[in-house]
């Protein structure tokens, strides 16, 4: 590198102490070329005792520190090197790279920008590729794609730019286009590990586990120690294994409707994307006058279909209603078949459309169980990932009740993600019933809107999230009332097998309860075991 050569010449020019440092640098260089990195680092450290700004010594030790994730110390040494050669492009490029590894994206981009301004020639397109990569890590996917395309317009065969473009498309949920990009790269070099792993990740997101495993095996034949390959294989194993969840949940609304239920669910993936699941649930629902119980069982199937997936669930609920009058006989139990079919398809970059139909009994609280009401539901949804950080969703749906009543519903939401897991957004929703019914909450009109905020963190052992919103609601023609919600979760992972999650929430939306209660609280605990 030009910086290292220049630094060595400067060291030789400033006298005996620097000549001693240069000698130690030369020893370090010899050891480094032999792959004896620890011994080389010791020689470089001796050079720094003689000359704290020795360019090559600072640079090489910074490399070893960065490789061991000690980025802050590496950056200190790079700054010391740049005191002697402040405008050297190699040092500036390395500093920008390490800043991006530390997720200090704005500082990294500033340094890349200064390099591009100083060196607009095509020989420095590698800087433009690195800048686009940082933009993608920062979630600025559209800008990243533009950066890669700028390079490819001059150098269509630049593999780094082609690979980066494939990553951006994958992260934009355009999995089909990403796969095509990676497959073209593999046609030129079928053994490139990073491309095999990236395509394997795309197949994993498509739930095509057999394809993902084959790609992982091909990558392992080239470099079994690759860190990204290890992560891919662990993710495949988690998806392929049998996952069992056992949960205990509680809820209560302001009308003193109290529910507690237990769930047991299992799911696995078979072949290249077939998802199988089964679940069992027990519900006890009480209010000040009565108690009802419910047992449910379901089987589910999911299949990849085109650029999306189709799902189907079939089950049954056995309902034990309370007496219609206090002290009177209870109506007989009844069994209701339940089901849901759904389809989701990606129809463009970042845009996914969905449709679903479902049927279930109206059994949310004890007072509803003896009414013997069943519900048919239909809905269509749209999810648009406008950028890596900006997302919009919309829903239009309807409910048909077995007593002849009808409800239409709609909702829209926008969310913008920021650094460190923070997100801000807004949503608006509403519904209307064809007829008012005194047995359940059925206003002719309801509309609500909230400004929302959230925070999330996902680590190897602990993960947590908090979401909340504040706004207003209007029931029919009544005056506008305040509305807010707050919910959170915290989860602890033990190895790759066990996880425990605690969830809690509270909402003051009247729509959160089947009877329009003004407040609704939930609490739950879920234990997960992966086999």
């Amino acid at each position: 590198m030009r910086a290292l050569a220049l630094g060595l010449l400067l060291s030789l020019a400033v006298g005996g102490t620097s000549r001693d440092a240069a000698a130690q640098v030369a020893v370090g260089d010899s050891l480094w070329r032999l792959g004896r990195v620890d011994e080389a680092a010791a020689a470089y450290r001796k050079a720094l005792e003689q000359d704290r700004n020795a360019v090559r010594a600072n640079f090489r030790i910074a490399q070893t520190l960065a490789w061991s994730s000690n980025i802050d110390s590496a950056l200190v040494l790079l700054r010391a090197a740049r005191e002697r050669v402040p405008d050297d492009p190699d040092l500036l490029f390395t500093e920008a790279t390490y800043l991006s590894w530390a997720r200090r994206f704005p500082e990294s981009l500033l340094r890349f920008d200064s390099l591009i301004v100083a060196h607009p020639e095509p020989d420095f397109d590698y800087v433009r590729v690195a800048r686009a990569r940082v933009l993608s890590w920062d979630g600025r996917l559209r800008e990243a794609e533009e950066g890669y395309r700028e390079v490819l317009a001059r150098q269509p065969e630049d593999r780094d730019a082609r690979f980066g473009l494939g990553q951006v498309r994958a992260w934009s949920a355009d999995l089909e286009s990403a796969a095509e990009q990676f497959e073209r790269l593999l046609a030129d070099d079928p053994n490139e590990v990073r491309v095999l792993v990236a395509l394997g990740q795309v197949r994993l997101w498509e739930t095509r586990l057999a394809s993902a495993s084959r790609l992982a095996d091909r990558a392992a034949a080239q470099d079994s120690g690759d860190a990204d390959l290890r992560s891919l294989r662990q993710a495949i194993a988690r998806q392929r294994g049998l996952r069992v969840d056992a949960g205990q949940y509680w809820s209560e609304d302001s009308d003193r409707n109290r529910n507690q239920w237990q769930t047991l669910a299992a799911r696995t993936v078979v072949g290249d994307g077939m998802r199988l699941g089964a679940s069992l649930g027990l519900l006890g629902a009480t209010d000040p006058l009565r108690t009802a119980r419910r047992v449910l069982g379901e089987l589910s199937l999911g299949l990849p279909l085109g650029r999306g997936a189709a799902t189907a669930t079939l089950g049954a609920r056995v309902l034990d209603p309370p007496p219609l009058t206090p002290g009177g006989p209870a109506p007989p139990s009844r069994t209701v078949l339940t089901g849901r079919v759904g389809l989701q398809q990606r129809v463009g970059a970042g845009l996914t459309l969905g449709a679903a139909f479902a049927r279930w009994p109206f059994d949310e609280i004890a007072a509803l169980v003896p009414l013997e009401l069943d519900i048919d539901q239909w809905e269509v949804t749209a999810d648009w990932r406008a950028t890596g950080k900006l997302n919009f969703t919309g829903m239009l749906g309807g409910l048909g009740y077995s007593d002849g009543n009808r409800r239409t519903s709609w909702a829209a939401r926008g969310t913008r993600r920021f650094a460190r897991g923070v997100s801000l957004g807004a949503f608006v929703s509403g519904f209307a019933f064809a007829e008012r019914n005194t047995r359940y909450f059925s206003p002719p009109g309801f509309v609500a809107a909230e400004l929302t905020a959230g925070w999330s963190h996902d680590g190897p052992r602990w993960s947590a999230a908090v979401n909340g919103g504040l706004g207003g609601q209007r029931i029919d023609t009544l005056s506008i009332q305040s509305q807010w919600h707050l919910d959170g979760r915290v989860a602890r992972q033990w190895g790759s097998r066990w996880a425990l999650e605690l969830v809690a929430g509270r909402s003051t939306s009247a729509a959160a309860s089947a009877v329009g209660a003004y407040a609704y609280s939930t609490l739950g605990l879920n234990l997960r075991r992966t086999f």
Side-chain angles (χ1 to χ4, degrees):
M1 285 186 173
R2 290 184 297 273
L4 309 184
L6 178 58
L8 184 58
L9 291 173
L10 287 173
S11 297
L12 292 170
V14 294
T17 297
S18 293
R19 282 195 294 273
D20 292 340
Q24 290 295 333
V25 167
V27 171
D29 289 345
S30 298
L31 293 167
W32 189 277
R33 285 192 293 270
L34 294 173
R36 296 158 63 179
V37 175
D38 291 339
E39 296 173 71
Y44 291 133
R45 289 191 178 92
K46 289 181 181 178
L48 291 181
E49 292 174 1
Q50 303 295 326
D51 179 2
R52 73 175 187 86
N53 289 335
V55 175
R56 192 190 296 271
N58 276 300
F59 178 81
R60 288 301 192 197
I61 296 176
Q63 280 186 296
T64 63
L65 291 171
W67 293 341
S68 61
S69 301
N70 193 349
I71 305 298
D72 289 339
S73 297
L75 288 169
V76 170
L77 294 177
L78 284 176
R79 282 193 289 271
R82 290 190 61 212
E83 287 184 14
R84 186 157 289 170
V85 281
D87 297 323
D88 184 86
D90 297 320
L91 285 178
L92 190 58
F93 178 83
T94 303
E95 185 179 27
T97 300
Y98 290 174
L99 285 167
S100 72
W101 292 0
R103 303 189 65 81
R104 293 163 61 177
F105 299 133
E107 297 171 73
S108 174
L109 291 170
L110 280 174
R111 283 157 178 78
F112 282 132
D113 287 341
S114 65
L115 262 176
I116 291 170
V117 170
H119 301 278
E121 55 268 29
D123 287 348
F124 282 79
D125 273 348
Y126 71 93
V127 179
R128 295 174 178 84
V129 171
R131 181 182 185 276
R133 186 182 305 121
V134 173
L135 287 169
S136 70
W137 291 350
D138 196 25
R140 297 160 63 177
L141 300 182
R142 184 166 295 174
E143 295 174 68
E145 181 166 351
E146 292 172 356
Y148 288 129
R149 288 188 178 280
E150 179 186 352
V151 173
L152 290 171
R154 286 192 297 270
Q155 303 187 56
E157 298 305 314
D158 188 301
R159 290 188 67 82
D160 289 334
R162 292 168 64 192
F163 178 78
L165 186 59
Q167 283 189 315
V168 166
R169 289 174 176 173
W171 296 342
S172 300
D174 189 2
L175 301 183
E176 185 177 27
S177 177
E180 292 174 354
Q181 186 76 8
F182 293 139
E183 286 169 346
R184 284 195 293 268
L185 285 167
L186 289 177
D188 298 332
D189 182 356
N191 296 320
E192 188 172 356
V193 172
R194 65 170 179 172
V195 183
L196 290 166
V197 172
L199 182 55
Q201 184 65 65
V202 170
R203 297 308 185 206
L204 176 65
W205 289 339
E206 294 175 329
T207 329
R208 296 173 56 181
L209 300 191
S211 298
S213 294
R214 288 192 294 270
L215 289 160
D217 290 342
R218 288 171 57 186
Q222 306 301 318
D223 183 3
S224 60
D226 184 82
D228 291 333
L229 172 61
R230 288 197 301 270
S231 298
L232 173 62
R233 286 191 141 170
Q234 290 170 0
I236 292 171
R238 285 194 298 269
Q239 287 285 328
R240 176 171 284 159
L242 177 65
R243 192 181 80 185
V244 178
D245 290 87
Q248 172 69 57
Y249 301 89
W250 299 266
S251 69
E252 182 175 3
D253 66 24
S254 52
D255 286 345
R256 298 172 63 190
N257 292 295
R258 298 172 181 171
N259 291 352
Q260 59 175 308
W261 63 99
Q262 301 81 39
T263 61
L264 181 65
R267 74 116 177 100
T268 189
V269 178
V270 179
D272 210 3
M274 179 185 295
R275 289 165 290 162
L276 301 176
S279 61
L280 177 69
L282 306 174
L283 169 69
T286 65
D287 63 26
L289 299 176
R290 67 213 114 195
T291 298
R293 300 192 182 280
R294 178 191 74 192
V295 179
L296 68 84
E298 290 182 339
L299 298 175
S300 63
L301 171 67
L303 292 171
L305 183 63
R307 301 177 65 188
T311 59
T313 300
L314 180 64
R317 299 189 189 186
V318 179
L319 306 175
D320 291 324
L324 296 176
T325 59
S333 299
R334 75 182 186 110
T335 300
V336 182
L337 292 178
T338 64
R340 177 181 174 88
V341 292
L343 176 66
Q344 282 196 327
Q345 287 290 306
R346 294 183 299 276
V347 296
L351 178 62
T352 300
L353 300 181
F357 177 82
R359 180 177 176 82
W360 74 92
F362 199 13
D363 57 2
E364 293 184 29
I365 59 175
L368 296 174
V369 174
L371 300 183
E372 299 189 5
L373 286 174
D374 298 326
I375 296 176
D376 294 327
Q377 179 193 29
W378 65 268
E379 68 177 24
V380 292
T381 59
D383 186 299
W384 179 38
R385 189 174 181 177
T387 69
K389 294 183 177 182
L390 183 62
N391 196 78
F392 296 96
T393 60
M395 182 276 294
L396 178 65
L399 301 178
Y401 291 72
S402 56
D403 63 1
N405 207 355
R406 295 286 183 271
R407 189 185 93 163
T408 55
S409 306
W410 57 271
R413 180 185 297 272
T415 304
R416 172 68 161 84
R417 289 179 293 279
F418 297 89
R420 302 184 184 277
V422 175
S423 63
L424 297 175
F427 83 84
V428 59
S429 64
F431 61 82
F433 278 82
E435 300 176 6
R436 189 187 296 273
N437 192 307
T438 58
R439 299 184 298 178
Y440 51 87
F441 185 54
S442 50
F446 176 90
V447 65
E450 284 188 1
L451 297 176
T452 61
W455 169 84
S456 64
H457 167 75
D458 289 302
R461 292 190 176 184
W462 288 95
S463 62
V466 179
N467 294 280
L470 178 63
Q473 59 187 330
R474 185 175 186 179
I475 304 171
D476 199 10
T477 58
L478 300 177
S479 60
I480 296 176
Q481 300 170 314
S482 65
Q483 171 180 309
W484 61 269
H485 80 275
L486 181 67
D487 55 78
R489 67 168 183 86
V490 60
R492 174 68 160 86
Q493 184 90 23
W494 285 272
S496 61
R497 301 292 186 183
W498 291 95
L500 184 66
E501 183 178 55
L502 175 68
V503 296
R506 184 167 177 83
S507 171
T508 62
S509 171
S513 172
V515 291
Y518 65 87
Y520 190 82
S521 301
T522 58
L523 179 66
L525 191 65
N526 185 78
L527 178 65
R528 174 174 298 163
R529 174 73 161 92
T530 303
F531 297 89

